[in-house]
Amino acid sequence: ATTSTSGGGAAPTMSGDASKSKKKVGSPAMFIPFMFAFVALGALLCGRAAQALDGAGASQKARALGDEGFVYVAMFVIGFTMQAMSLVAGFARAAANIDRPDQFVYETRGGADGRATVLLAADGARGEFNRAQRAFFNTLESLAVFVANVLLVGRVAPRCALLLAVLFAVGRMMYAVGYRSSPSGRGLGFLVGAVVAGNMASGGALAVGLVALDVPNVG
């Protein structure tokens, strides 16, 4: 039995037990070291970009910030927490076997087996609309942290900050266009706009904060 969605297609139904089945996907904690590795790589890339675009003055400005470095480190903590929470949600999505762009699972009563699963329309123009909307809101979810990191980096390396903004803009537009076509089409844009630009911004802000605080072997 199936239940119709607003997109004119049909969503699969599940029994009460099947709808609650959980797939083994491991623990999000195993990815934490990789998250730190990406941030470290982002800091290195941002540092190289700052040296190339803003010269040695960027490092001097960072050291002159003094105790403001704590603000930079605090921003990193906030951003990293957001990433970790997103990772936890991603693992929960995989365990529940829920595909994107569906953000929640709704249950309706009254099907042949007493329960049915209702998902977002995935086909045709309505499916494209749902995925385009999801791409937009996915960008909003990370926008505030990214903007804050760019502003912090921009205090000492304004040209590098512009580079980060351009990478973000290009990557996110690629993400939106690709996601609208299909969920699998969002990969390259996500890599450029979120993984590269996002980690460069957060790693760069963290590096500036550590330099300002005179942490050894940084800067």
Side-chain angles (χ1 to χ4, degrees):
T2 58
T3 181
S4 296
T5 66
S6 62
T13 61
M14 301 180 184
S15 67
D17 292 335
S19 66
K20 296 180 180 179
S21 61
K22 186 174 182 180
K23 186 169 61 176
K24 293 183 178 180
V25 295
S27 170
M30 70 177 68
F31 277 86
I32 296 297
F34 293 99
M35 293 172 65
F36 278 110
F38 279 124
V39 170
L41 179 60
L44 178 63
L45 292 174
C46 189
R48 294 291 183 267
Q51 289 179 356
L53 297 173
D54 296 281
S59 181
Q60 296 172 357
K61 290 179 182 178
R63 289 188 173 87
L65 291 175
D67 284 350
E68 286 188 48
F70 288 111
V71 177
Y72 284 73
V73 178
M75 187 64 238
F76 167 76
V77 172
I78 294 170
F80 194 85
T81 300
M82 294 282 292
Q83 289 181 327
M85 291 177 64
S86 177
L87 185 67
V88 170
F91 268 74
R93 172 188 287 277
N97 200 27
I98 302 300
D99 291 331
R100 292 172 176 81
D102 297 294
Q103 296 305 298
F104 299 96
V105 179
Y106 302 92
E107 290 185 347
T108 60
R109 300 181 183 274
D113 56 3
R115 290 195 173 192
T117 300
V118 180
L119 302 175
L120 293 175
D123 299 324
R126 291 180 176 178
E128 289 187 359
F129 167 73
N130 280 336
R131 290 188 294 274
Q133 282 282 77
R134 180 56 197 149
F136 176 71
F137 283 106
N138 180 273
T139 300
L140 287 182
E141 290 168 8
S142 60
L143 183 61
V145 172
F146 180 80
V147 169
N149 281 323
V150 168
L151 292 176
L152 292 174
V153 170
R155 288 203 61 193
V156 300
R159 294 174 181 82
C160 182
L162 176 59
L163 172 64
L164 295 175
V166 170
L167 283 174
F168 179 84
V170 172
R172 280 298 174 172
M173 285 305 301
M174 293 169 59
Y175 176 83
V177 173
Y179 203 170
R180 177 181 173 180
S181 298
S182 70
S184 61
R186 71 191 192 281
L188 181 59
F190 184 83
L191 176 65
V192 175
V195 177
V196 176
N199 280 292
M200 283 182 67
S202 61
L206 176 63
V208 172
L210 296 178
V211 170
L213 297 172
D214 283 329
V215 174
N217 300 320
V218 179

